[in-house]
Amino acid sequence: MENLTNINVIKNIMERHGFSFSKSLGQNFLVNPSVCPKIAEMGNASEGWGVLEIGAGIGVLTNELAKRADKVAVIEIDGRLIPILKETLAEHNNIEVINEDVMKADLAGIIKENFAGLKVAVCANLPYYITSPVIMLLLESRLPIDSITVMVQKEAGKRICAGMGTREAGAVTAAVRYYSEPKMLFDVSRGSFMPAPNVDSCVIRLDVRKEPAVHVKDEKLFFRTVRGAFSQRRKNLANSLSSSLGMPKELVSAAIAEAGLAENVRPEQLSLEELAAVSDSIAKYL
Ligand code: SAM
């Protein structure tokens, strides 16, 4: 098989198929040969595993996944890439290419059809414009997924993997930690892509928990509380929650006190357990 990280090989494929990069679909293809094998190895692509990939591009990561895992299903939105993938993935018989938008695809059905009896990993070099929505979709849908290993912009990766109670923590930190244990794996420079983006990237892995990290009375309210708490980072918790939940400040203050916290506590100081306690006491006042 041709080397899909070789720029001349890529240019040749693109020319033969009349393909040009779409910026709006986040098409920055990996050309650093060491990155895809590392994502595949650290992302659980191995015997006994099925891997769901999001965004095939010309199949550079797909090939590395298919060499190691029992089965690969890859979702690619851009129909122009499908004939290219037929060519570049031809030597594998364990790959299913699905021409759909990941945000609209029947992920539960795809997993059921392709990965019966296998553990399931997601591996992807995610298109930047939908990084957080894809991660939250995968976690919130409660799909039978064991791990999610994704390339994201470095800033997004730092925010997702930040510790609770640190300045970098945000709503996405809390939401991701509720469902999984995040880990920063390695950095990838902008020069590893064609075309090169304006920012560096990193690869993170989320090991999905069997049970959420904290038990809450009302999950929807918990996520509203999390989003509300971090919505106005310079305000204290009582003010942020009062305006985001549309509740009188006295009631929010009472709920915060009941959760054992000071009214002027700042959202980024809170642990997941404390956010859960606040949301549980707010539930009583709604
Ligand atoms: N995996 C390849 C690589 O590493 O070189 C391509 C990665 S590129 C950053 C992102 C890919 O996701 C592109 O091929 C793009 O067409 C595809 N994509 C963008 N939006 C998508 C969506 N909503 N659903 C599925 N694929 C999408």
Side-chain angles (χ1 to χ4, degrees), residues 4-5 10 19 21-22 24-31 35-36 39 53-62 65 74-81 85 98-105 123-130 134 151 192-194:
L4 296 178
T5 57
I10 300 174
F19 179 84
F21 294 110
S22 156
S24 62
L25 288 178
Q27 289 178 342
N28 301 95
F29 295 169
L30 269 164
V31 292
V35 176
C36 290
I39 296 179
E53 188 191 350
I54 296 155
I58 59 165
V60 64
L61 175 59
T62 324
L65 298 171
V74 58
I75 304 176
E76 172 54 61
I77 196 172
D78 190 344
R80 299 173 307 155
L81 288 165
L85 290 165
I98 301 150
N99 183 200
E100 275 187 59
D101 177 347
V102 64
M103 301 306 292
K104 297 185 187 146
C123 286
N125 171 13
L126 284 180
Y128 294 141
Y129 75 104
I130 43 168
V134 169
M151 170 105 64
S192 299
F193 300 89
M194 178 180 163

Coordinates of all heavy atoms in Angstrom, one line a residue, residues 4-5 10 19 21-22 24-31 35-36 39 53-62 65 74-81 85 98-105 123-130 134 151 192-194, ligand 1:
L4 N 0.4 6.8 2.9 CA -0.6 7.9 2.9 C -0.2 9.1 3.7 O -1.0 10.1 3.8 CB -2.0 7.4 3.4 CG -2.7 6.3 2.6 CD1 -3.9 5.8 3.3 CD2 -2.9 6.8 1.2
T5 N 1.0 9.1 4.3 CA 1.5 10.3 4.9 C 2.5 11.1 4.0 O 3.0 12.1 4.4 CB 2.1 10.0 6.3 OG1 3.2 9.1 6.1 CG2 1.2 9.5 7.3
I10 N -0.3 11.9 -1.5 CA -1.6 12.6 -1.3 C -1.9 13.5 -2.4 O -3.1 13.4 -2.9 CB -1.5 13.4 0.0 CG1 -1.2 12.5 1.2 CG2 -2.8 14.2 0.3 CD1 -1.0 13.3 2.5
F19 N -9.9 16.1 -6.1 CA -10.3 16.4 -4.8 C -9.6 17.7 -4.3 O -8.4 17.8 -4.5 CB -10.0 15.3 -3.8 CG -10.4 15.6 -2.4 CD1 -11.7 15.4 -1.9 CD2 -9.4 16.0 -1.5 CE1 -12.0 15.7 -0.6 CE2 -9.7 16.3 -0.2 CZ -11.0 16.1 0.3
F21 N -9.3 20.3 -0.6 CA -9.6 20.4 0.8 C -10.8 21.3 1.1 O -10.9 22.3 0.5 CB -8.4 20.9 1.6 CG -7.3 20.0 1.6 CD1 -6.1 20.3 1.0 CD2 -7.3 18.7 2.3 CE1 -5.0 19.4 1.0 CE2 -6.2 17.9 2.3 CZ -5.1 18.2 1.6
S22 N -11.7 20.9 2.0 CA -12.8 21.7 2.4 C -12.4 22.3 3.8 O -12.3 21.5 4.7 CB -14.1 20.9 2.4 OG -15.0 21.6 3.3
S24 N -14.3 24.2 5.6 CA -15.5 24.2 6.5 C -15.7 22.8 7.1 O -16.4 22.7 8.1 CB -16.7 24.7 5.8 OG -17.0 23.9 4.7
L25 N -15.2 21.8 6.5 CA -15.4 20.4 7.0 C -14.2 20.0 7.9 O -14.0 18.9 8.3 CB -15.6 19.4 5.9 CG -16.9 19.4 5.2 CD1 -16.9 18.3 4.1 CD2 -18.1 19.1 6.2
G26 N -13.3 21.0 8.2 CA -12.1 20.7 9.1 C -11.2 19.7 8.5 O -10.6 18.9 9.2
Q27 N -11.0 19.8 7.2 CA -10.1 18.8 6.5 C -8.6 19.2 6.6 O -8.1 19.8 5.7 CB -10.6 18.6 5.1 CG -11.9 17.8 5.0 CD -12.4 17.6 3.6 OE1 -12.0 18.3 2.7 NE2 -13.4 16.7 3.5
N28 N -8.0 18.8 7.7 CA -6.5 18.9 7.9 C -6.1 17.4 8.1 O -6.3 16.8 9.1 CB -6.2 19.7 9.1 CG -6.8 21.1 9.0 OD1 -7.8 21.4 9.5 ND2 -6.1 22.0 8.3
F29 N -5.4 16.9 7.0 CA -5.1 15.5 7.0 C -3.7 15.3 7.7 O -2.8 16.1 7.5 CB -5.1 14.9 5.6 CG -6.4 14.9 5.0 CD1 -6.6 14.6 3.6 CD2 -7.6 15.1 5.7 CE1 -7.8 14.6 3.0 CE2 -8.9 15.1 5.1 CZ -9.0 14.9 3.8
L30 N -3.5 14.2 8.4 CA -2.3 13.9 9.1 C -1.2 13.5 8.1 O -1.4 12.5 7.3 CB -2.5 12.8 10.1 CG -2.9 13.3 11.5 CD1 -3.5 12.2 12.4 CD2 -1.7 13.9 12.2
V31 N 0.0 14.1 8.2 CA 1.1 13.7 7.3 C 2.3 13.3 8.1 O 3.4 13.1 7.5 CB 1.4 14.8 6.3 CG1 0.3 15.0 5.3 CG2 1.7 16.2 6.9
V35 N 2.3 9.7 14.0 CA 1.1 10.0 14.9 C 0.0 8.9 14.8 O -0.5 8.5 15.8 CB 0.5 11.4 14.5 CG1 -0.7 11.7 15.2 CG2 1.6 12.5 14.7
C36 N -0.4 8.4 13.6 CA -1.5 7.5 13.5 C -1.2 6.2 14.2 O -2.1 5.7 14.9 CB -1.9 7.3 12.0 SG -2.7 8.7 11.3
I39 N -1.8 6.8 17.9 CA -3.3 7.0 18.2 C -3.9 5.6 18.3 O -4.6 5.2 19.2 CB -4.0 7.9 17.2 CG1 -3.5 9.3 17.2 CG2 -5.5 7.8 17.5 CD1 -4.2 10.2 16.2
E53 N -14.4 5.1 13.9 CA -13.6 6.3 13.6 C -14.6 7.4 13.0 O -15.5 7.0 12.3 CB -12.5 6.0 12.5 CG -11.6 7.2 12.4 CD -10.6 7.1 11.1 OE1 -10.5 6.0 10.5 OE2 -10.0 8.1 10.8
I54 N -14.3 8.6 13.4 CA -15.1 9.7 12.9 C -14.2 10.6 12.0 O -13.2 11.1 12.4 CB -15.7 10.5 14.0 CG1 -16.6 9.6 14.9 CG2 -16.4 11.8 13.5 CD1 -16.8 10.1 16.3
G55 N -14.6 10.7 10.7 CA -13.8 11.5 9.8 C -12.6 10.7 9.2 O -11.5 10.8 9.8
A56 N -12.8 10.0 8.1 CA -11.7 9.2 7.5 C -10.7 10.0 6.8 O -9.5 9.5 6.7 CB -12.3 8.1 6.6
G57 N -11.0 11.1 6.2 CA -10.1 11.7 5.3 C -9.7 10.8 4.1 O -10.6 10.2 3.5
I58 N -8.4 10.6 3.9 CA -8.1 9.6 2.8 C -7.7 8.3 3.5 O -7.2 7.4 2.8 CB -6.9 10.1 1.9 CG1 -5.7 10.4 2.8 CG2 -7.4 11.3 1.1 CD1 -4.4 10.5 1.9
G59 N -8.0 8.1 4.8 CA -7.9 6.8 5.4 C -6.6 6.5 6.1 O -6.2 5.3 6.3
V60 N -5.8 7.5 6.4 CA -4.5 7.3 6.9 C -4.6 6.7 8.3 O -3.8 5.7 8.6 CB -3.7 8.6 6.9 CG1 -4.3 9.7 7.8 CG2 -2.2 8.4 7.3
L61 N -5.5 7.2 9.2 CA -5.6 6.5 10.5 C -6.4 5.2 10.4 O -6.2 4.3 11.1 CB -6.4 7.5 11.4 CG -6.7 7.0 12.8 CD1 -5.5 6.6 13.6 CD2 -7.5 8.1 13.6
T62 N -7.4 5.2 9.5 CA -8.3 4.0 9.3 C -7.4 2.8 9.0 O -7.6 1.7 9.6 CB -9.2 4.3 8.1 OG1 -9.6 5.6 8.0 CG2 -10.4 3.4 8.2
L65 N -5.8 1.6 12.2 CA -6.7 1.0 13.1 C -7.1 -0.4 12.6 O -7.1 -1.4 13.4 CB -8.0 1.8 13.1 CG -7.9 3.3 13.7 CD1 -9.1 4.1 13.5 CD2 -7.5 3.2 15.2
V74 N -16.1 3.4 9.9 CA -15.7 4.8 9.9 C -16.8 5.7 9.2 O -17.3 5.3 8.2 CB -14.3 5.0 9.2 CG1 -14.3 4.4 7.8 CG2 -13.9 6.5 9.2
I75 N -17.1 6.8 9.9 CA -18.1 7.7 9.4 C -17.5 8.9 8.7 O -16.7 9.6 9.4 CB -19.0 8.2 10.5 CG1 -19.6 6.9 11.3 CG2 -20.2 9.1 10.0 CD1 -20.4 7.3 12.5
E76 N -17.8 9.1 7.4 CA -17.2 10.2 6.7 C -18.3 11.0 6.0 O -19.0 10.4 5.2 CB -16.1 9.7 5.7 CG -15.6 10.8 4.8 CD -15.0 12.1 5.5 OE1 -14.1 11.9 6.3 OE2 -15.5 13.2 5.3
I77 N -18.4 12.3 6.3 CA -19.5 13.1 5.7 C -19.3 13.4 4.2 O -20.3 13.6 3.5 CB -19.7 14.4 6.5 CG1 -21.0 15.0 6.3 CG2 -18.6 15.4 6.3 CD1 -21.3 16.2 7.2
D78 N -18.0 13.5 3.8 CA -17.7 14.1 2.5 C -17.8 13.0 1.4 O -16.8 12.1 1.3 CB -16.4 14.7 2.5 CG -16.1 15.5 1.2 OD1 -16.8 15.3 0.2 OD2 -15.2 16.4 1.3
G79 N -18.8 13.0 0.6 CA -19.0 11.9 -0.4 C -17.9 11.9 -1.4 O -17.6 10.8 -2.0
R80 N -17.1 13.0 -1.6 CA -16.0 13.0 -2.6 C -14.9 12.1 -2.1 O -14.0 11.7 -2.9 CB -15.5 14.4 -2.7 CG -16.5 15.4 -3.3 CD -15.9 16.8 -3.2 NE -15.4 17.1 -1.9 CZ -14.4 18.0 -1.6 NH1 -13.8 18.7 -2.6 NH2 -14.0 18.2 -0.4
L81 N -14.9 11.8 -0.8 CA -13.8 10.9 -0.3 C -14.1 9.4 -0.4 O -13.2 8.6 -0.3 CB -13.5 11.3 1.2 CG -12.8 12.6 1.4 CD1 -12.9 13.0 2.9 CD2 -11.3 12.6 1.0
L85 N -11.4 6.4 -0.6 CA -11.2 5.4 0.4 C -11.4 4.0 -0.1 O -10.7 3.0 0.4 CB -12.3 5.6 1.5 CG -12.1 6.9 2.3 CD1 -13.3 7.3 3.1 CD2 -10.9 6.7 3.3
I98 N -19.0 4.5 6.2 CA -20.4 5.0 6.2 C -20.4 6.5 5.8 O -19.7 7.3 6.5 CB -20.9 4.8 7.6 CG1 -20.9 3.3 8.0 CG2 -22.3 5.3 7.8 CD1 -20.8 3.0 9.5
N99 N -21.0 6.8 4.7 CA -21.0 8.2 4.2 C -22.2 8.9 4.9 O -23.3 9.1 4.3 CB -21.2 8.1 2.7 CG -21.1 9.5 2.1 OD1 -21.6 9.7 1.0 ND2 -20.6 10.5 2.8
E100 N -21.9 9.4 6.1 CA -23.0 10.2 6.9 C -22.4 11.3 7.7 O -21.1 11.3 7.9 CB -23.7 9.2 7.8 CG -24.8 8.5 7.1 CD -25.7 7.6 8.1 OE1 -26.2 8.2 9.0 OE2 -25.7 6.4 7.9
D101 N -23.2 12.1 8.3 CA -22.8 13.1 9.2 C -22.9 12.5 10.6 O -23.9 11.9 11.0 CB -23.9 14.3 9.1 CG -23.6 15.4 10.2 OD1 -22.8 15.2 11.1 OD2 -24.2 16.4 10.0
V102 N -21.8 12.5 11.3 CA -21.7 11.8 12.6 C -22.8 12.3 13.6 O -23.3 11.6 14.4 CB -20.3 11.9 13.3 CG1 -20.0 13.4 13.6 CG2 -20.2 11.1 14.6
M103 N -23.2 13.6 13.4 CA -24.2 14.2 14.4 C -25.6 13.6 14.1 O -26.5 13.8 14.9 CB -24.2 15.7 14.3 CG -22.9 16.4 14.6 SD -22.2 15.9 16.2 CE -23.3 16.6 17.3
K104 N -25.8 13.0 12.9 CA -27.1 12.6 12.5 C -27.2 11.0 12.4 O -28.2 10.5 12.2 CB -27.6 13.2 11.2 CG -27.7 14.7 11.3 CD -28.2 15.2 10.0 CE -28.2 16.7 10.0 NZ -27.9 17.3 8.7
A105 N -26.0 10.4 12.5 CA -26.0 8.9 12.2 C -26.6 8.2 13.4 O -26.6 8.7 14.5 CB -24.5 8.5 12.0
C123 N -11.9 6.2 17.9 CA -10.6 6.9 17.6 C -10.8 7.9 16.5 O -11.5 7.5 15.5 CB -9.5 5.9 17.1 SG -8.9 4.8 18.4
A124 N -10.3 9.1 16.7 CA -10.6 10.1 15.6 C -9.6 11.3 15.7 O -9.2 11.7 16.7 CB -12.0 10.6 15.7
N125 N -9.3 11.8 14.5 CA -8.7 13.1 14.4 C -9.9 14.0 14.0 O -10.3 14.1 12.9 CB -7.7 13.0 13.2 CG -7.2 14.4 12.9 OD1 -7.4 15.4 13.6 ND2 -6.5 14.5 11.7
L126 N -10.5 14.6 15.1 CA -11.8 15.2 14.9 C -11.7 16.5 14.1 O -10.8 17.3 14.3 CB -12.4 15.5 16.3 CG -13.0 14.4 17.1 CD1 -13.5 15.0 18.5 CD2 -14.1 13.7 16.4
P127 N -12.8 16.7 13.3 CA -12.9 18.0 12.7 C -13.1 19.1 13.8 O -13.9 18.9 14.6 CB -14.1 17.9 11.7 CG -14.8 16.7 12.2 CD -13.9 15.8 13.0
Y128 N -12.3 20.2 13.7 CA -12.3 21.1 14.9 C -13.6 21.8 15.1 O -14.0 22.1 16.3 CB -11.2 22.2 14.7 CG -9.8 21.6 14.7 CD1 -8.8 22.1 13.8 CD2 -9.5 20.6 15.6 CE1 -7.6 21.5 13.8 CE2 -8.2 20.1 15.6 CZ -7.2 20.5 14.7 OH -6.0 20.0 14.8
Y129 N -14.4 21.9 14.1 CA -15.7 22.7 14.3 C -16.7 22.0 15.1 O -17.7 22.6 15.5 CB -16.2 23.2 12.9 CG -16.9 22.1 12.1 CD1 -18.3 22.0 12.1 CD2 -16.2 21.1 11.4 CE1 -19.0 21.0 11.3 CE2 -16.8 20.1 10.7 CZ -18.2 20.1 10.7 OH -18.8 19.1 10.0
I130 N -16.5 20.7 15.3 CA -17.5 20.0 16.1 C -16.9 19.1 17.2 O -17.5 18.2 17.7 CB -18.4 19.1 15.3 CG1 -17.7 18.3 14.2 CG2 -19.6 19.8 14.7 CD1 -18.5 17.2 13.6
V134 N -19.3 16.6 19.4 CA -19.1 15.1 19.1 C -18.8 14.4 20.4 O -19.4 13.4 20.7 CB -18.0 14.8 18.1 CG1 -17.6 13.4 18.0 CG2 -18.4 15.3 16.7
M151 N -8.0 13.4 18.6 CA -7.1 14.6 18.4 C -8.0 15.8 18.5 O -9.0 15.8 17.8 CB -6.5 14.4 17.1 CG -5.7 15.7 16.6 SD -4.0 15.5 16.7 CE -3.7 14.2 15.5
S192 N 2.3 18.8 11.5 CA 2.0 17.4 11.2 C 0.8 17.2 10.3 O 0.4 16.1 10.0 CB 1.7 16.7 12.6 OG 2.7 16.7 13.4
F193 N 0.2 18.3 9.9 CA -1.1 18.3 9.1 C -0.9 18.9 7.7 O -0.1 19.8 7.6 CB -2.2 19.0 9.8 CG -2.5 18.5 11.1 CD1 -1.9 19.0 12.3 CD2 -3.5 17.5 11.3 CE1 -2.2 18.5 13.5 CE2 -3.8 17.0 12.5 CZ -3.2 17.5 13.7
M194 N -1.7 18.5 6.8 CA -1.8 19.1 5.5 C -3.2 19.4 5.1 O -4.0 18.4 5.1 CB -1.2 18.2 4.4 CG -1.2 18.8 3.0 SD -0.5 17.5 1.9 CE -1.1 18.1 0.4
Ligands
SAM1 N1 -8.7 11.0 9.8 C1 -8.1 11.8 8.7 C2 -6.7 12.2 9.1 O1 -6.3 12.1 10.3 O2 -5.9 12.6 8.2 C3 -9.0 13.1 8.5 C4 -9.1 14.0 9.7 S1 -9.8 15.6 9.3 C5 -9.2 16.5 10.6 C6 -11.5 15.4 9.7 C7 -12.4 14.6 8.8 O3 -13.7 14.6 9.3 C8 -12.5 15.0 7.3 O4 -12.3 14.0 6.5 C9 -13.9 15.6 7.2 O5 -14.5 15.5 5.9 C10 -14.6 14.7 8.2 N2 -15.9 15.3 8.8 C11 -16.1 16.6 9.0 N3 -17.3 16.8 9.5 C12 -17.9 15.6 9.7 C13 -19.1 15.1 10.2 N4 -20.1 15.9 10.7 N5 -19.4 13.8 10.2 C14 -18.4 12.9 9.7 N6 -17.2 13.3 9.2 C15 -16.9 14.6 9.2

